[in-house]
């Protein structure tokens, strides 16, 4: 390779650091290893041929942590449950947005979440978590982890940092907490949880032989508009099905953090078999090239839509991060923690489920579907769809009402989105 060419592992030109969006097309990929192809080929292969038995032995020693790598030694390719070029290039690129040392890619967001929780929790542990969380996460915490002797303790996101402090006043909770798991902004209410305050609490509860790990589900704003590692989080988790994939054509997940924590997670991923397939990795590499364009366009569109909804007489209230009242504590937290308001909006119609359903059934451009973060705009009814599994009383406490509709704003023309909302509201 010519030394004057841009090295695929360089993040700078001279001493000028490059922005992540400039690195999404080539970083981590060496064309000379793939016949000069400008894009990484899809490596549909289950296993990799070793040059010698000694090489195979050396790769396995590293893969199973039997020895430390020699200076400059790179882990070789073994078997696609452990590693694969499409996943390795993708993981390198994903670290850039969050400023993480390492990343692990999974076949779903739930695979990222379940593998991470199983890595750090053991029987007798408590996991503190913010509520509401994604429906699947809620089920994992409340119905599956207790079967393994792990106790979930929920803390309402709208109770602020004080609610977390109250939860750990109980000594049985304080002594056994091994993880804090938060989702911010919360789905579907957009309630914010203070990442730095939770990080400080995790440090305070950690002991020399037990690190309390703070994991943040950053699906709603990340990886562009919120960077939890900068606020003290240990692990960042994504459903890459949403903004990172961005085209509603795949399911995937990511966990990011320090090398030592992510290596532990990867050890579990290898055994649980929750890694992403090469095809998923390849599609995500393609998606990453337009991530900033998509998220920026969606964010701008959402502002127009939220402004329209806020003024509409048939709408009781709008939950949108760009509309927080300037002197509220939520706004101060938003300014500390978030870069932009993103493109998730929920709102409450005047009325109940009947009004919400009439509105949803009248939409023409917005599609009636769960999921979010794709190029097309979506609408759904959290109480009867994404959050129908949550106990009805708890649902109300979390602020998920029968008249609530959640919107994910896409890249269409904002005037068309507003025209559709206007005609659907007229039908209510
Ligand atoms: C969708 C979602 C998940 C689950 O991800 P999958 O890719 O569907 O497994 C987890 N957290 C949040 C916030 C989500 O929106």
């Amino acid at each position: 390779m010519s030394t004057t060419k841009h090295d695929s592992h360089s993040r700078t030109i001279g001493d000028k650091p490059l922005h992540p969006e400039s690195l999404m097309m080539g970083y981590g990929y060496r064309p000379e290893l793939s016949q000069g192809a400008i894009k990484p080929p899809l490596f549909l292969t289950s296993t990799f041929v070793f040059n010698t038995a000694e090489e195979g032995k050396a790769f396995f020693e590293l893969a199973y942590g039997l020895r430390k790598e020699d200076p400059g030694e790179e882990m070789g390719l073994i078997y696609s449950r452990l590693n694969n070029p499409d996943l390795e290039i993708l993981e390198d690129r994903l670290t850039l947005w969050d400023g993480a040392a390492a990343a692990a890619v999974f076949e779903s967001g739930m695979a990222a979440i379940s593998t991470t929780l199983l890595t750090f929790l053991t029987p007798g542990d408590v996991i503190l978590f913010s509520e509401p969380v994604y429906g699947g996460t809620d089920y994992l915490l409340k119905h599956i982890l207790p079967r393994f002797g792990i106790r979930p303790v929920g803390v309402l996101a709208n109770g602020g940092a004080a609610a977390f402090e109250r939860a750990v006043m109980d000594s049985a909770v304080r002594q056994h907490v091994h993880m804090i798991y938060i989702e911010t902004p919360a789905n579907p209410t957009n309630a914010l949880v203070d990442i730095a305050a939770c990080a400080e609490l995790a440090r305070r509860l950690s002991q020399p032989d037990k690190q309390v790990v703070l994991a943040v589900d950053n699906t709603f704003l990340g990886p562009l508009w919120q960077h939890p590692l900068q606020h003290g989080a240990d692990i960042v988790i994504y459903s890459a099905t949403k903004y990172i994939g961005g085209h509603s054509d795949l399911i995937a997940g990511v966990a990011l953090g320090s090398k030592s924590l992510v290596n532990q997670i990867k050890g579990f991923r290898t055994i649980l078999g929750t890694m992403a397939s090469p095809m998923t990795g390849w599609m995500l590499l393609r998606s990453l090239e337009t991530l900033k364009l998509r998220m920026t366009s969606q964010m701008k569109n959402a502002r127009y839509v939220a402004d329209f909804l806020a003024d509409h007489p048939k709408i009781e209230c709008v939950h949108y991060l760009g509309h927080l009242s300037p002197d509220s504590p939520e706004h101060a937290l938003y300014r500390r923690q978030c870069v932009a308001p993103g493109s998730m909006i929920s709102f409450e119609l005047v009325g109940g489920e009947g009004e919400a359903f009439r509105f949803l059934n009248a939409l023409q451009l917005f599609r009636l579907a769960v999921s979010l973060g794709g190029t097309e705009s979506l609408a759904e009814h959290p109480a009867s769809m994404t959050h129908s599994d949550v106990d009805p009383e708890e649902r109300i406490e979390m602020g998920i009402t029968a008249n609530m509709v959640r919107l994910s704003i896409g890249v269409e023309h904002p005037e068309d989105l507003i025209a559709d909302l206007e005609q659907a509201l007229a039908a209510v």
Side-chain angles (χ1 to χ4, degrees):
M1 188 174 78
S2 154
T3 50
T4 55
K5 288 254 186 64
H6 186 80
D7 172 1
S8 73
H9 272 89
S10 173
R11 299 187 193 181
T12 59
I13 290 182
D15 53 10
K16 188 182 168 358
L18 295 168
H19 297 84
E21 58 267 45
S22 306
L23 294 166
M24 287 302 121
M25 279 60 77
Y27 181 69
Y29 169 61
R30 301 213 295 262
E32 72 275 14
L33 296 181
S34 295
Q35 312 272 17
I38 191 162
K39 292 292 150 178
L42 173 49
F43 287 89
L44 282 181
T45 186
S46 56
T47 194
F48 296 87
V49 179
F50 303 135
N51 286 313
T52 60
E54 287 78 7
E55 187 184 81
K57 177 180 174 182
F59 291 174
F60 265 95
E61 284 171 346
L62 286 190
Y64 288 159
L66 303 177
R67 67 171 169 88
K68 285 253 178 290
E69 54 207 68
D70 295 332
E73 184 180 10
E74 272 182 44
M75 168 75 183
L77 294 160
I78 297 178
Y79 183 68
S80 285
R81 179 155 44 73
L82 279 72
N83 52 13
N84 176 285
D86 293 302
L87 297 195
E88 291 197 336
I89 299 163
L90 173 64
E91 286 166 351
D92 284 347
R93 286 189 198 165
L94 283 165
T95 61
L96 300 174
W97 290 104
D98 278 287
V105 184
F106 296 85
E107 197 56 12
S108 70
M110 284 312 302
I113 294 166
S114 56
T115 304
T116 301
L117 297 194
L118 290 174
T119 301
F120 298 112
L121 295 169
T122 45
D125 283 346
V126 164
I127 176 167
L128 269 187
F129 68 100
S130 61
E131 293 191 274
V133 284
Y134 179 74
T137 312
D138 187 87
Y139 191 89
L140 172 67
L141 287 163
K142 292 177 183 165
H143 300 288
I144 296 183
L145 292 184
R147 289 177 46 191
F148 299 92
I150 295 154
R151 182 179 159 209
V153 175
V155 177
L156 284 178
N158 53 21
F164 281 88
E165 295 293 341
R166 266 199 307 281
V168 299
M169 277 162 64
D170 177 346
S171 66
V173 172
R174 188 171 61 243
Q175 279 163 17
H176 297 288
V177 166
H178 207 153
M179 258 193 116
I180 303 178
Y181 182 94
I182 61 179
E183 190 178 302
T184 180
N187 175 18
T189 58
N190 273 335
L192 294 175
V193 183
D194 191 331
I195 299 169
C198 287
E200 193 276 322
L201 180 64
R203 301 293 168 270
R204 210 174 344 122
L205 296 174
S206 290
Q207 287 149 22
D209 59 339
K210 183 187 83 174
Q211 180 189 356
V212 176
V213 175
L214 172 62
V216 180
D217 183 332
N218 200 33
T219 300
F220 265 42
L221 283 185
L224 260 79
W225 312 134
Q226 181 170 265
H227 304 112
L229 298 176
Q230 289 175 12
H231 301 279
D234 300 302
I235 299 286
V236 176
I237 292 180
Y238 292 102
S239 167
T241 311
K242 315 297 166 55
Y243 291 97
I244 295 175
H247 295 73
S248 305
D249 55 5
L250 61 83
I251 302 273
V254 188
L256 298 119
S258 68
K259 276 217 168 78
S260 92
L261 293 180
V262 171
N263 277 344
Q264 291 179 57
I265 297 170
K266 281 187 175 169
F268 269 65
R269 183 183 70 172
T270 290
I271 302 304
L272 296 176
T274 47
M275 73 296 155
S277 72
M279 182 68 190
T280 301
W282 185 88
M283 287 174 77
L284 284 171
L285 282 172
R286 184 168 178 151
S287 289
L288 278 182
E289 299 188 11
T290 55
L291 178 70
K292 185 181 179 189
L293 287 178
R294 288 183 280 108
M295 287 190 77
T296 303
S297 161
Q298 288 168 285
M299 185 260 291
K300 288 182 180 164
N301 279 352
R303 162 116 19 220
Y304 290 114
V305 169
D307 288 349
F308 164 78
L309 293 171
D311 289 338
H312 199 283
K314 288 187 182 168
I315 289 178
E316 213 169 81
C317 64
V318 177
H319 306 279
Y320 168 61
L321 290 176
H323 283 175
L324 296 172
S325 132
D327 40 38
S328 64
E330 289 77 23
H331 188 253
L333 176 56
Y334 169 80
R335 293 286 301 270
R336 285 201 301 280
Q337 189 164 295
C338 313
V339 179
S343 46
M344 293 302 296
I345 303 171
S346 60
F347 64 90
E348 292 167 54
L349 283 143
V350 176
E353 186 186 89
E355 283 73 12
F357 279 20
R358 269 196 291 286
F359 168 81
L360 289 168
N361 289 335
L363 289 168
Q364 295 176 28
L365 182 58
F366 277 81
R367 312 314 295 268
L368 175 52
V370 300
S371 196
L372 58 107
T375 45
E376 70 287 292
S377 294
L378 300 178
E380 68 113 4
H381 185 248
S384 69
M385 297 171 189
T386 45
H387 294 70
S388 55
D389 228 17
V390 181
D391 175 77
E393 265 179 43
E394 290 182 27
R395 209 158 53 214
I396 295 297
E397 274 184 80
M398 297 173 198
I400 305 169
T401 54
N403 56 342
M404 177 181 274
V405 168
R406 187 189 78 182
L407 302 179
S408 168
I409 305 300
V411 300
E412 302 91 341
H413 198 293
E415 283 172 14
D416 298 339
L417 294 174
I418 289 170
D420 191 25
L421 295 170
E422 193 159 30
Q423 66 80 23
L425 283 163
V428 176

